[in-house]
Amino acid sequence: MKLPKAPIAIIGGGLAGSEAAYQLARRGIPVRLYEMRPNRLTPAHKTGHLAELVCSNSLGADLLTSPAGILKAELRRIGSLIMRCADESRVPAGKALAVDRNRFAISVSEALASCPLVEVVREEVKDIPEGLAIIATGPLTSDSMSEALRRLVGRDFLYFFDAVSPIVTAESVDFAVVFKGNRYGEGEDYLNCPMDEAEYQRFWEALSSAERAPLHSFERDERYFEGCLPIEVMAERGRDVLRYGPMRPVGLVDPKSGRMPYAVVQLRREDAEGTLYSLVGFQTNLKWSEQERVFRMIPGLQKAEFVRFGVMHRNVYVNAPLVLNENLSLRARQDVYLAGQIVGVEGYTESTAMGLVAAISAYSALLGLPVPQWPKETAIGSLLHYIRNARADNFQPMNVNLGIFPPLGTKVRDRMKRCEAVARRALTALEKFMAEYSIIFEEVVIN
């Protein structure tokens, strides 16, 4: 194959951009990966590492009994760099795949730095480059790039708000109150802070009335993503919303009382050493002083040391049904591909998958091949089908879930068994797809 005269530009060194760069390079295509950090940080990033995780350190469920697990299996089968580094950096988290976020980002950065066909350029790109390019600037796309894309597609972006959970030190947790355990006794990866009804009532009242941090002028129209609501927004929707959400006690028994708590706050390990824990589902935009006051009402966290408070930031994405082709290229300019959360998916692995798809689409275009038709039976194909065929008048970002897969054809009432059946069908369809398009899945050996 004749290599392109100039490297393909990939804008954004997050999960999607890093994955796209790797997938093209392993197929013999030179790329120039632009990342503005650390010269210019976003409101959420703290380092200059590629693929830095800014919200949770969990990539979600990792079994074939969940849609997220099916997507991970597909990415592993195709040879995802992000999944490889996540597996190498994982920390205990029950059935989920959680990583030591620093080790993970360094692993991705080192893998791309050592690749001879990847050139990492540390500068902000303020306009869309000429020639074939992949825009993977993520949910925190800079104002200049947002404006450049807006001019190109001729339509305004949609946006929602995403929030980050606080992190506490393990040594500041009161283990005389907190107990270890996963739901239904399946391991001891989580720390659990139990509440009785009176404690829950006081906590809910304090949370509901706590003062929030002010929003920037461009963030006044609060349109939250339902899958990642700030804890205070859930609280204001009703007294028991939290007990049926992130504070649900089902499957947990406090060994001190022998009973299921009225409510529970779970803490998940953030690093390999187990020195840091995040409050699961407690993404928030409360003022930092209010977070300290309210969250120290949680049993076991009265003396908690917060090493990171929750913050909220704007996430940007396009109205995919109106502006994207089925291969993630822009209708307004078909040599420019979008990748990651900006296309209208939500989640780390979903973003990674869209980076992989954009790279394979660009590679197919370089070979002069037709657009690959990802099977809808796969998790990747289901996501692509959703973002291309959802209602444009109310387009919302989507996680992978059973609802976007095609029906099985036969009813399976048990959700886990239904998911396993979907997984078998998905992986079979993926194998057939990869065999049919074998030329685009062959790795090129670089001498």
Side-chain angles (χ1 to χ4, degrees):
M1 181 186 68
K2 187 177 180 181
L3 296 179
K5 293 182 179 179
I8 292 178
I10 299 178
I11 318 301
L15 296 174
S18 296
E19 186 67 48
Y22 175 76
Q23 293 298 333
L24 284 169
R26 71 188 291 226
R27 288 166 171 80
I29 305 300
V31 300
R32 184 170 289 139
L33 178 60
Y34 292 90
E35 172 53 55
M36 67 181 184
R37 295 178 293 111
N39 299 329
R40 180 182 174 189
L41 293 176
T42 72
H45 289 88
K46 302 299 182 184
T47 77
H49 298 318
L50 301 176
E52 178 187 346
L53 304 182
V54 299
C55 294
S56 168
N57 71 320
S58 175
L59 278 70
D62 196 22
L63 296 176
L64 293 180
T65 51
S66 71
I70 299 173
L71 179 57
K72 290 178 180 63
E74 293 178 9
L75 289 171
R76 289 187 179 106
R77 174 63 187 88
I78 299 172
S80 163
L81 171 68
I82 296 301
M83 289 307 305
R84 189 186 81 199
C85 294
D87 288 334
E88 293 171 353
S89 309
R90 71 188 303 155
V91 297
K95 297 177 182 179
L97 172 59
V99 301
D100 180 313
R101 65 176 72 226
N102 192 55
R103 186 180 300 174
F104 167 74
I106 290 174
S107 179
V108 174
S109 300
E110 290 178 345
L112 290 174
S114 65
C115 183
L117 291 180
V118 177
E119 176 190 1
V120 179
V121 180
R122 298 289 183 167
E123 65 180 49
E124 180 182 1
V125 178
K126 297 183 178 181
D127 209 341
I128 299 170
E130 295 297 323
L132 198 153
I134 296 176
I135 310 298
T137 46
L140 297 174
T141 298
S142 67
D143 290 342
S144 54
M145 180 56 72
S146 294
E147 183 56 34
L149 279 168
R150 186 178 289 114
R151 289 196 305 268
L152 180 60
V153 302
R155 297 179 185 271
D156 285 342
F157 279 109
L158 305 177
Y159 65 94
F160 60 92
F161 284 85
D162 200 4
V164 174
S165 298
I167 295 177
V168 300
T169 62
E171 64 181 5
S172 68
V173 175
D174 185 356
F175 284 89
V177 176
V178 171
F179 65 93
K180 293 183 178 180
N182 301 359
R183 298 186 191 280
Y184 305 105
E186 298 181 352
E188 293 188 340
D189 300 323
Y190 291 85
L191 303 182
N192 301 281
C193 306
M195 286 187 184
D196 59 29
E197 185 171 3
E199 289 169 330
Y200 177 81
Q201 179 67 27
R202 289 193 294 271
F203 176 75
W204 175 73
E205 289 175 353
L207 182 60
S208 300
S209 60
E211 190 175 359
R212 303 180 189 183
L215 299 174
H216 295 288
S217 59
F218 58 84
E219 297 174 328
R220 299 299 184 192
D221 179 19
E222 299 180 1
R223 298 178 60 194
Y224 299 107
F225 172 54
E226 290 293 320
C228 193
L229 287 173
I231 193 77
E232 61 271 15
V233 173
M234 285 187 273
E236 71 181 7
R237 291 186 175 186
R239 179 186 181 277
D240 290 323
V241 170
L242 297 175
R243 292 186 60 242
Y244 289 93
M247 295 180 66
R248 64 190 184 281
V250 295
L252 295 168
V253 176
D254 186 346
K256 299 177 184 64
S257 66
R259 299 190 302 272
M260 183 177 73
Y262 186 78
V264 69
V265 176
Q266 287 197 302
L267 309 181
R268 179 177 54 229
R269 187 186 296 191
E270 277 284 320
D271 60 349
E273 292 74 24
T275 60
L276 301 175
Y277 279 81
S278 60
L279 281 64
V280 178
F282 269 60
Q283 48 275 352
T284 180
N285 190 47
L286 295 180
K287 284 188 171 182
W288 288 4
S289 59
E290 290 288 80
Q291 292 183 44
E292 202 163 14
R293 177 182 69 85
V294 175
F295 295 155
R296 279 185 174 165
M297 296 176 66
I298 298 170
L301 299 187
Q302 288 88 345
K303 298 181 179 180
E305 177 189 355
F306 291 88
V307 297
R308 185 188 75 186
F309 288 106
V311 295
M312 192 171 75
H313 53 83
R314 185 184 67 170
N315 277 357
V316 180
Y317 61 98
V318 298
N319 195 332
L322 296 178
V323 305
L324 292 182
N325 294 310
E326 61 182 332
N327 64 349
L328 300 184
S329 65
L330 288 171
R331 291 186 180 181
R333 195 178 139 187
Q334 298 193 18
D335 60 345
V336 174
Y337 299 81
L338 299 192
Q341 283 189 241
I342 200 169
V343 307
V345 296
E346 170 62 22
Y348 291 148
T349 48
E350 289 87 344
S351 298
T352 298
M354 295 303 101
L356 184 148
V357 169
I360 288 177
S361 295
Y363 183 65
S364 299
L366 287 171
L367 295 181
L369 298 174
V371 174
Q373 301 297 308
W374 291 82
K376 286 193 291 185
E377 293 81 5
T378 63
I380 295 174
S382 293
L383 283 167
L384 288 170
H385 183 263
Y386 169 79
I387 65 175
R388 278 287 296 116
N389 295 279
R391 286 181 54 182
D393 59 350
N394 190 33
F395 182 62
Q396 291 286 317
M398 181 63 71
N399 294 103
V400 64
N401 63 81
L402 283 179
I404 65 173
F405 284 90
L408 281 170
T410 57
K411 276 196 174 183
V412 181
R413 294 189 180 276
D414 183 90
R415 187 183 185 280
M416 291 179 65
K417 291 181 180 179
R418 185 165 74 252
C419 205
E420 287 175 336
V422 170
R424 288 193 296 270
R425 184 185 65 178
L427 295 176
T428 298
L430 181 63
E431 291 296 337
K432 183 178 178 181
F433 172 70
M434 292 178 68
E436 181 181 354
Y437 292 89
S438 59
I439 188 172
I440 63 174
F441 288 100
E442 292 174 353
E443 185 169 358
V444 176
V445 177
I446 308 299
N447 295 321

